[in-house]
Amino acid sequence: MRVLPGAVLGVLGGGQLGRMFVAAAQRMGYQIAVLDPAADNPTGRSADYSICADYDDEAALGRLADQCVAITTEFENIPAASLRQLSERRAVTPDARSVSIAQNRVLEKQFLRDNGFAIAPFAVIQQPSDHADETITCLLPGILKVSQFGYDGKGQKSVNHQADLTAAYAQLSHPICVLEKFMPLQREISVVVARGSDGEIKSFPVAENQHVNGILDISIVPARIPPALAQQAQAVACRVAERLNYQGVLCVEFFVVQDDELLVNEIAPRPHNSGHYSIDACITSQFEQQVRTLCNLPLGETTQHSAAVMVNLMGELWQNGTPDWNVILQCTTAKLHLYEKTDARPGRKMGHFTVLGTDVDEALQQAILIKKQLQRH
């Protein structure tokens, strides 16, 4: 059943992704209720209704279900049990099964491997004695990652030798980790897809991503890769969504390794940082698609009408006070997005800007110039 404008939609999570979902939904005529443990959060400031409670608070979940017709999430670490509870009364996207796979690196890797998707060699480490196992040491050098609650470079360590592995496992203080073999990269790319309950699926253009300290720094769209490789990445991302029987917006991140081989790195069951360019550069944004998939509406067209380069604005920029926004605003092809976060900590995403153009290289040149000017102020 279609959910039409005027209805109240719910979102679990109060971060910037929820805030951008609210903007898209309200523009279409929906009202929004947010549930988040923090009383003051970016999503709650723009939502129509707010519930301050933990994500596993059964009474609060019941209030959210009373208030809303359909409910979505803005990040993957919502307890799957909470999604199951809500789904007994309301439409919920994505579903608990998809989220439970994507929020656990072990289940995620096993799902990808068992469904025939190419991934980097990996092993599961559950105890210190595993470190001496030959099937694990042969993956060195590699990257050790906690199985849950790791993001933006958190919860992971580079390891070159067995001694590094032992030390990293102790430092991460997590009972279950995944060791992935280090793969020399040509590029990192990602594809955002939207899939409806009827199986309709649409892919956004491929983003080329550059990271600093494990955190996305710049996304270049369209990615500077051969058209055939872009089509392959979009096709693989769509197959991942289909194998998950996924409803909602999903991001699939890839490594491009030697000879343009594609390896699936991670999946994110939500709109993604690398898809923010779609707000300004596509006919339909990833956040409008989130509304459409939640409300059983036809999916929007994802055609990109302008080349785009998105740059994250990190908390470091605030170390000498509020950045000089004139640097961005004087550029007539740049779009500024601030998240209204009050605490500008290093490594925290405070906003982003997107430079549009007819040529991706020119847009990239302009975006880098703006970034350097901001850092000098």
Side-chain angles (χ1 to χ4, degrees), residues 142-199:
I143 301 176
L144 186 69
K145 302 179 179 180
V146 297
S147 62
Q148 290 185 281
F149 310 119
Y151 65 97
D152 282 348
K154 300 178 178 69
Q156 61 185 53
K157 299 279 187 181
S158 295
V159 291
N160 295 312
H161 309 288
Q162 186 175 336
D164 297 337
L165 178 59
T166 301
Y169 183 79
Q171 290 169 5
L172 291 175
S173 301
H174 200 280
I176 303 177
C177 294
V178 172
L179 177 65
E180 299 175 10
K181 185 175 180 62
F182 174 77
M183 307 297 291
L185 304 182
Q186 293 183 0
R187 280 183 171 84
E188 293 184 66
I189 63 174
S190 59
V191 180
V192 174
V193 299
R195 186 171 185 268
S197 60
D198 60 355

Side-chain angles (χ1 to χ4, degrees), residues 314-326:
M314 307 303 295
E316 291 88 333
L317 283 174
W318 276 256
Q319 62 183 346
N320 295 319
T322 302
D324 182 3
W325 300 128
N326 285 313

Side-chain angles (χ1 to χ4, degrees), residues 336-359:
L336 175 62
H337 299 260
L338 295 176
Y339 304 153
E340 285 196 59
K341 294 181 179 179
T342 55
D343 184 13
R345 301 189 304 270
R348 191 181 196 200
K349 296 171 184 173
M350 301 295 293
H352 72 270
F353 69 90
T354 302
V355 175
L356 306 177
T358 56
D359 179 85

Side-chain angles (χ1 to χ4, degrees), residues 8-226:
V8 180
L9 307 178
V11 58
L12 294 163
Q16 66 265 20
L17 298 181
R19 177 182 173 82
M20 288 180 267
F21 168 78
V22 169
Q26 289 178 336
R27 178 177 53 78
M28 297 170 69
Y30 295 93
Q31 298 182 68
I32 304 296
V34 58
L35 187 153
D36 189 88
D40 185 25
N41 60 78
T43 305
R45 291 196 201 103
S46 55
D48 300 278
Y49 310 100
S50 185
I51 299 172
C52 181
D54 291 334
Y55 299 124
D56 57 0
D57 185 320
E58 294 187 6
L61 293 170
R63 294 201 303 275
L64 186 68
D66 289 338
Q67 199 164 23
C68 301
V69 177
I71 300 165
T72 188
T73 66
E74 71 108 32
F75 78 124
E76 59 262 50
N77 288 330
I78 302 294
S82 298
L83 299 179
R84 292 190 190 96
Q85 176 184 333
L86 289 168
S87 66
E88 293 174 359
R89 298 181 53 196
R90 297 291 182 243
V92 176
T93 64
D95 65 11
R97 174 182 172 271
S98 298
V99 171
S100 65
I101 291 172
Q103 68 185 197
N104 185 302
R105 292 190 193 278
V106 175
L107 297 180
E108 177 187 56
K109 297 293 183 186
Q110 292 172 342
F111 163 81
L112 293 168
R113 179 196 61 197
D114 295 347
N115 282 277
F117 296 104
I119 59 175
F122 76 98
V124 179
I125 297 180
Q126 303 186 64
Q127 53 191 352
S129 61
D130 292 339
H131 302 170
D133 191 309
E134 288 186 6
T135 61
I136 290 176
T137 57
C138 72
L139 298 178
L140 299 175
I143 301 176
L144 186 69
K145 302 179 179 180
V146 297
S147 62
Q148 290 185 281
F149 310 119
Y151 65 97
D152 282 348
K154 300 178 178 69
Q156 61 185 53
K157 299 279 187 181
S158 295
V159 291
N160 295 312
H161 309 288
Q162 186 175 336
D164 297 337
L165 178 59
T166 301
Y169 183 79
Q171 290 169 5
L172 291 175
S173 301
H174 200 280
I176 303 177
C177 294
V178 172
L179 177 65
E180 299 175 10
K181 185 175 180 62
F182 174 77
M183 307 297 291
L185 304 182
Q186 293 183 0
R187 280 183 171 84
E188 293 184 66
I189 63 174
S190 59
V191 180
V192 174
V193 299
R195 186 171 185 268
S197 60
D198 60 355
E200 180 189 13
I201 192 165
K202 286 187 180 292
S203 167
F204 283 90
V206 181
E208 176 185 344
N209 303 317
Q210 299 176 359
H211 296 80
V212 174
N213 298 324
I215 302 174
L216 181 64
D217 182 35
I218 296 175
S219 287
I220 303 162
V221 194
R224 298 168 298 176
I225 58 177

Side-chain angles (χ1 to χ4, degrees), residues 216-282:
L216 181 64
D217 182 35
I218 296 175
S219 287
I220 303 162
V221 194
R224 298 168 298 176
I225 58 177
L229 185 61
Q231 292 172 4
Q232 180 187 355
Q234 289 173 312
V236 171
C238 289
R239 286 205 304 275
V240 170
E242 290 167 349
R243 294 291 176 87
L244 272 174
N245 194 25
Y246 190 86
Q247 181 180 349
V249 174
L250 176 80
C251 181
V252 181
E253 299 178 67
F254 296 91
F255 294 145
V256 182
V257 296
Q258 188 176 4
D259 298 325
D260 282 347
E261 181 185 2
L262 271 183
L263 302 178
V264 178
N265 176 28
E266 295 180 352
I267 56 179
R270 52 171 171 77
H272 194 262
N273 194 173
S274 66
H276 289 351
Y277 74 91
S278 64
I279 299 171
D280 300 306
C282 294

